[in-house]
Each structure stands twice: as structure tokens, then as C-alpha cells.
DNA sequence: GGGCCTGACTTGAAGCGTCAACCAACTCGG
DNA sequence: CCGAGTTGGTTGACGCTTCAAGTCAGGCCC
């Protein structure tokens, strides 16, 4: 990994692009979290988890599946689901067929919460991202994101 | 804020672009942090702080200035600088002219640490972002980032 | 069909970030 | 000058994430 001491530093335009992305990485999550927290008392991650449940058959899904969907570790998910369960938004039960598996399910309360939170969240995404860009840039953004993903996660290229 | 109940949901291509960006927001910081932590035992934020100091005259800078540069709250910076000070990488002292101001300065040890960490970090940024994109996309990325910033932070539009 | 390994979570402790309160140093009107 | 208000920074408590260890159910091999 450290064979030669020749470092390819960033050229000015490379640096500018990187700084722009880096600042995004810092600020966007905060802005999105802030809106959800203020209006619906939910974390972005909690929202994602509940959204993941809501769009699954029976509004339920096994933990590791959900962890993959929400881009989080299983441990993190376990803590979060425990908190959501305490608030009455989800329930957990072992799978009938395989006792190792836990499936989490959205309660009616949780579904209500999600339905109430969704419009505000979508509006925030629109305001900060979608409506800030023209359609051409939207395409470019998707292409750029996909490229970076391939580098980050060469495993599941599909 | 909730005048009409008509929500403009995301169209499929909008959703795709957003999901692509969202996944980036989750994974890129982790990947970058992981590399720095593993190879240099530094957080991305700590790295940014030290980099900010290193490129300032006298390798020193006042706290609030540094906080702005590193996209973090003053409180966060205060905690981080205290930890860095405990490790011997920076020192703090009150400003001679205005006693309210604290200036942080990089020590020689801190500078060594930064110099040792920089190549690996730059290599990671290159691998995951810069080299994943072609020059055209790099320009597009900068333009997209700038647009979103304007929405996030309409205040300092220059 | 008992021991052993693997897989799917869960838990507890430790570290980091945020928020709200706090303190100290300047400024400025009177 | 002197006291109110402002600015710059620090601190402590609390919540969330991570990491390492633990639990418990299935599969497998003899």
C-alpha cells in the first residue's frame, strides 16, 4: 500500500470538486435530520427503518434485511428498533420457521407516524436537492453516485 | 408550512437520483473515517482541524474561524481540540490583544502526524471519488454541490 | 443424537456530538 | 469609569453509534 513515496496530490479543480462534496457530506445529513426531528421527532435513520418496513409485505421484515436496506449495522438497528418498540411504533417477534431470525413489524401507530412524517421529509428533500437542480443535473447526480458506489462497494455490482 | 395537503411525491427518476445521493451520504463518510482511523488513528474531523491549522500563517488560528472552516459547531471543536491537546498535537492560548479569543496552534508533533496521514487520506479520496469520475463529471459534481449549498445555506452567498 | 461450529441477533460499555447553561472578557452609553 | 449587554469560548449531561462480547437456535459430522 505504501510502495513509493510519490503522492498524487489533488489538482485545484479536483480539490474544488472534493471540497464541494465534502461540505455536502457534512451539512446535508444535518439539515435533513433537523427537519425530521423538529416536525416529527424522528431521526433520519428511524424514518428510513420505518419506511423500509412500510413498503414490505405485511409491513414486516427481518432485521438483517432491514439493516442492509437502511445502510446501517445490525447492532445499530437493534438499538434503534428497541427504542422504536418502546415508543410503540414497531413490534418484534421471532420467526416461526427459524428461531434465530427476528422480524420487526410496523404497528398501526408507527404507520400513522410515518404517514404524518413523510410529506415534510419529501418536501425537505425536494427543497434541498431535487428542486435545486435541473433535470440534466439530476441525471448527472445519479450517474456520479453510481460510479462512486461501485468503488465503495465493489461487491454487489449486480 | 402545512397549508395544502397536496404532496408532490418524487418521480421515479427523482427518487433514483435521491437514493443514490442518500446512500453516498451514509457510506462515504464511513469509508473515509475508516481509512484515517485505521492508518493514522485520526477522525476525519480531527484531520480537517489539523489541516486547517497547518495551512494558516503560524500554523495557528482562532477557534471560531476554525469551526467555520471545518463545518462544525464551536462546541464540537472545543471538545475535539481539548482531546487533540491532550494527545500533544495542538496547544491553546488566549489571544494577546483580545482575551476572549482562543487561538489553537499545531505543534511539531501534530504537524508530523498530519504529514504522515495526508498521503493515505488523499489516496482514499482519489480512489473513492476523483478517480471514479471522469473530468466532465468532476465539473458537474462541483456545480451540483454548489447549487445544493445555496439552498442549504442561503446566507453566505458570497 | 451429542458435541461443535456457524449464523442471527442482543447487550453493555466506551466514545463522540449536541444542547443548554455557564463564565470571562470586551464595548459602549451615560 | 461603571454597569448592562454582547461576544467568544468552555463545560456537563444526555443520547446515539460503535465495538466487543455474549446468547441462543440450526446444521453438520461422526
Amino acid at each position: 500500500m505504501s510502495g513509493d513515496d510519490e503522492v498524487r496530490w489533488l489538482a485545484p479543480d479536483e480539490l474544488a470538486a472534493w471540497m464541494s462534496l465534502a461540505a455536502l457530506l457534512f451539512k446535508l445529513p444535518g439539515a435533513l435530520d433537523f427537519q425530521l426531528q423538529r416536525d416529527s421527532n424522528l431521526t433520519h435513520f428511524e424514518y428510513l427503518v420505518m419506511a423500509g418496513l412500510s413498503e414490505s409485505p405485511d409491513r414486516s421484515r427481518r432485521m438483517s434485511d432491514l439493516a442492509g436496506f437502511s445502510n446501517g449495522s445490525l447492532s445499530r438497528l437493534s438499538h434503534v428498533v428497541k427504542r422504536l418498540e418502546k415508543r410503540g411504533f414497531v413490534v418484534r417477534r421471532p420467526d416461526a420457521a427459524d428461531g434465530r431470525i427476528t422480524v420487526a413489524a410496523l404497528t398501526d401507530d408507527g404507520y400513522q407516524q410515518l404517514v404524518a412524517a413523510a410529506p415534510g421529509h419529501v418536501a425537505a428533500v425536494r427543497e434541498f436537492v431535487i428542486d435545486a437542480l435541473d433535470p440534466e443535473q439530476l441525471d448527472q447526480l445519479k450517474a456520479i453516485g453510481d460510479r462512486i458506489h461501485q468503488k465503495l462497494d465493489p461487491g454487489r455490482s449486480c
Side-chain angles (χ1 to χ4, degrees), chain A residues 19-92:
Chain A
M19 291 299 268
S20 189
L21 177 58
L24 221 63
L25 257 37
F26 270 96
K27 290 190 181 156
L28 238 192
L32 259 13
D33 259 337
F34 177 75
Q35 180 276 324
L36 271 172
Q37 199 84 46
R38 172 171 49 94
D39 297 344
S40 310
N41 200 36
L42 283 176
T43 303
H44 190 201
F45 188 74
E46 291 170 337
Y47 179 89
L48 253 184
V49 167
M50 291 172 65
L53 287 177
S54 81
E55 67 186 25
S56 298
D58 241 359
R59 283 181 199 158
S60 63
R61 208 158 169 181
R62 55 179 297 195
M63 293 293 278
S64 22
D65 192 6
L66 200 53
F69 171 83
S70 55
N71 289 307
S73 67
L74 195 49
S75 167
R76 181 182 187 182
L77 183 67
S78 181
H79 284 297
V80 168
V81 168
K82 188 178 4 177
R83 292 191 286 261
L84 288 176
E85 192 169 32
K86 206 168 297 175
R87 292 207 258 163
F89 295 160
V90 309
V91 289
R92 277 187 289 191

Side-chain angles (χ1 to χ4, degrees), chain A residues 58-153:
Chain A
D58 241 359
R59 283 181 199 158
S60 63
R61 208 158 169 181
R62 55 179 297 195
M63 293 293 278
S64 22
D65 192 6
L66 200 53
F69 171 83
S70 55
N71 289 307
S73 67
L74 195 49
S75 167
R76 181 182 187 182
L77 183 67
S78 181
H79 284 297
V80 168
V81 168
K82 188 178 4 177
R83 292 191 286 261
L84 288 176
E85 192 169 32
K86 206 168 297 175
R87 292 207 258 163
F89 295 160
V90 309
V91 289
R92 277 187 289 191
R93 56 185 155 69
D95 185 74
D98 185 339
R100 293 170 298 182
I101 292 173
T102 304
V103 320
L106 204 56
T107 63
D108 288 345
D109 255 27
Y111 187 71
Q112 288 310 315
Q113 188 75 14
L114 183 65
V115 166
H121 177 60
V122 171
V125 170
R126 254 196 194 293
E127 178 187 354
F128 295 143
V129 181
I130 309 293
D131 288 351
L133 307 176
D134 49 48
E136 199 182 357
Q137 286 180 314
L138 226 54
D139 283 353
Q140 296 168 355
L141 175 58
K142 174 157 167 31
I144 289 170
D146 289 350
R147 281 279 193 92
I148 296 179
H149 283 133
Q150 277 181 11
K151 293 288 179 178
L152 279 177
D153 210 357

